[in-house]
Amino acid sequence: MNTPKILSPAGNTNSFLAAIAAGADAVYCGLKIFSARMEADNFSIEELSRLTTLAHFRGIDVYIALNSLVKEGELEKVFNILQKLCRYVDPDALIIQDLSLIPLALKAGFKKEFHLSTLGNCTSPSGLEYAQTLGIDRVVLPREFTIDDIKAMAAHARKGPELEVFVHGALCYSISGRCYW
């Protein structure tokens, strides 16, 4: 049986350090752009470089959320950010919404895990299977799922990808955090 891991959000340096001090297994955070949590302070590449070094020293994974919509004209900018993340931060996973980030990240040299954000809308067992063929290692299930929905997805995820669920519920009354939509 797998032991659940505690993944803590961090919107600024203090919350990142608090997650480490509280014993989180992993921390997820976003950059100042291309993150769905734009109301958080978020991080620069330089800040994440230092904090990730500390987290890795303590055996804690760091996931970077690049989980907002990416327009065609922004792909080069995202690619440059991905190159910097690979060179200076070395995150353990990228949490993505837009599947076009997978080939971009690979081209930038990223060799670790891809997690499909709850904003990526994977809501069925066939979606799990397809996500795995695209290189997705973990799927974050919708916050609206019931325990029975989660069990049904877990029954189909035995061969991968891993599943992640929010235990605190939705942050708003909208669907899977799409408050601003």
Side-chain angles (χ1 to χ4, degrees):
M1 184 172 234
N2 293 330
T3 303
K5 293 182 180 179
I6 296 177
L7 171 60
S8 177
N12 59 40
T13 299
N14 287 338
S15 59
F16 194 105
L17 294 173
I20 290 174
D25 298 297
V27 178
Y28 75 92
C29 48
L31 299 169
K32 296 189 181 288
I33 57 173
F34 300 115
S35 167
R37 299 179 68 199
M38 294 305 294
E39 295 298 317
D41 290 339
N42 290 324
F43 299 89
S44 68
I45 298 285
E46 294 78 18
E47 290 171 306
L48 279 178
S49 178
R50 291 189 303 273
L51 291 168
T52 301
T53 298
L54 173 64
H56 285 167
F57 179 75
R58 296 193 171 209
I60 299 168
D61 289 340
V62 176
Y63 307 154
I64 305 299
L66 293 171
N67 59 340
S68 66
L69 298 175
V70 178
K71 298 175 183 167
E72 186 70 26
E74 298 171 321
L75 291 175
E76 185 176 336
K77 187 173 191 174
V78 173
F79 178 69
N80 290 333
I81 289 168
L82 287 164
Q83 286 182 310
K84 289 178 183 176
L85 283 171
C86 290
R87 187 177 305 131
Y88 301 115
V89 178
D90 192 28
D92 299 285
L94 297 177
I95 304 170
I96 62 168
Q97 173 187 202
D98 190 319
L99 296 173
S100 70
L101 294 186
I102 294 172
L104 274 182
L106 294 172
K107 183 178 175 184
F110 185 73
K111 293 179 174 47
K112 296 190 180 172
E113 293 187 356
F114 291 101
H115 298 181
L116 184 63
S117 169
T118 186
L119 299 169
N121 294 314
C122 188
T123 60
S124 68
S126 60
L128 282 177
E129 291 172 18
Y130 187 63
Q132 189 172 20
T133 67
L134 297 174
I136 299 295
D137 300 287
R138 180 180 297 170
V139 170
V140 185
L141 296 178
R143 295 175 181 159
E144 303 76 35
F145 266 22
T146 65
I147 293 294
D148 289 337
D149 294 331
I150 295 168
K151 286 179 181 178
M153 292 292 271
H156 287 87
R158 299 208 188 286
K159 297 176 185 166
E162 292 181 348
L163 300 180
E164 180 179 315
V165 296
F166 284 87
V167 295
H168 60 72
L171 299 173
C172 64
Y173 60 87
S174 194
I175 304 296
S176 281
R178 292 177 182 86
C179 303
Y180 296 114
W181 292 7

